[in-house]
Amino acid sequence: MPRYQAVLFDFFGTLTRCVRRGAAHQDTADLLGCPADTLAEVLDRTYYQRASGGLGNAEATLRWVCDQAGVRPSDRAVRAAVASRHRAVRADTRLRDEAVPVLAALRQRGVRTGLISDCTHELPAFLPQLAVAPLLDVRVFSVQVGRCKPDPALYLAACQRLGLVPSDCLYVGDGGSQELTGADRAGMTAVRLAAPDLAEHMAFNVDRGWDGPVLTSLAQVLDLLDPLPAGRG
């Protein structure tokens, strides 16, 4: 039996490579009649308000963003911009080469897997299309739970869905949203992924003082588990 019965992952910057806001976001700004730098400033400033899900669905949230930016697009433009933003966030999302092999190897060892992500409405919509989706036993999204990391509710929701206690779980993340501190306080073992590409990663409220275990590659997660049982593999 592995020491950990489950490994829970952050998404952006952990299962994915570094995330930066790409050129496709310009289309969203154009549809809204908003300067791209103004839209980016509002999106950055309001990230946790949007990711906590309290502003309504994707369309209502984007209307609220427009209010913050001082623009008044038509309902038709807002609907088109919601679809445009979905495409833009999806375009920013590039899975790490190790993501699928690591998740598959964990399952081969009998270890459960899960995702805990601070996110807005786009990720829950497009995650089912990604290669990692069938390899995740649970998916916990802040925009659906109504809380953001490091709130213990996110970590405990994952445990409840898995039927495990926090001490059964290893948590892996790049450190955004003080997620490592949150996982540790919830009773999990937390490790930071410090892959070289993350120097350019867009992240908020980072765990800068983290002094716990650090990995430089997602594949190193497997080194933290007990060896594969004899006769498997």
Side-chain angles (χ1 to χ4, degrees):
M1 176 68 68
R3 175 187 172 193
Y4 302 110
Q5 296 187 46
V7 181
L8 303 172
F9 294 88
D10 170 49
F11 185 71
F12 295 109
T14 302
L15 291 179
T16 79
R17 289 181 273 171
C18 73
V19 174
R20 290 170 288 179
R21 205 171 272 130
H25 291 271
Q26 180 68 55
D27 294 339
T28 306
D30 290 344
L31 286 165
L32 296 173
C34 181
D37 57 349
T38 299
L39 180 60
E41 186 276 328
V42 172
L43 291 174
D44 288 348
R45 173 166 52 83
T46 66
Y47 177 70
Y48 289 109
Q49 288 167 281
R50 295 180 295 109
S52 63
L55 299 171
N57 63 17
E59 190 171 322
T61 299
L62 195 54
R63 283 198 183 93
W64 181 87
V65 167
C66 290
D67 287 342
Q68 299 297 305
V71 294
R72 300 290 185 272
S74 67
D75 289 347
R76 181 177 180 180
V78 171
R79 288 192 294 270
V82 167
S84 172
R85 177 164 166 76
H86 178 107
R87 292 190 296 270
V89 175
R90 175 67 183 88
D92 294 340
T93 303
R94 301 166 297 156
L95 292 175
R96 291 192 180 279
D97 292 342
E98 311 102 309
V100 168
V102 166
L103 289 170
L106 289 170
R107 288 189 152 211
Q108 189 177 26
R109 285 166 165 78
V111 177
R112 310 282 296 283
T113 60
L115 174 72
I116 303 176
S117 181
D118 275 357
C119 63
T120 48
H121 293 282
E122 296 77 23
L123 179 59
F126 69 70
L127 181 70
Q129 304 162 20
L130 302 183
V132 295
L135 299 172
L136 295 167
D137 294 303
V138 297
R139 309 166 191 181
V140 177
F141 302 112
S142 66
V143 73
Q144 295 176 349
V145 174
R147 307 283 182 86
C148 291
K149 302 170 190 174
D151 194 301
L154 292 162
Y155 308 95
L156 297 179
C159 291
Q160 183 178 30
R161 295 177 194 182
L162 289 168
L164 300 174
V165 297
S167 59
D168 291 331
C169 302
L170 176 68
Y171 182 84
V172 184
D174 65 276
S177 299
Q178 295 189 23
E179 61 186 348
L180 305 174
T181 298
D184 182 68
R185 288 176 178 169
M188 298 179 179
T189 299
V191 297
R192 179 186 173 210
L193 178 65
D197 66 293
L198 291 176
E200 300 182 14
H201 180 53
M202 182 176 67
F204 303 97
N205 197 23
V206 176
D207 257 317
R208 300 199 183 278
W210 178 252
D211 59 0
V214 175
L215 309 177
T216 57
S217 166
L218 196 63
Q220 292 173 353
V221 170
L222 301 176
D223 297 333
L224 303 178
L225 305 177
D226 288 344
L228 190 68
R232 300 183 65 178

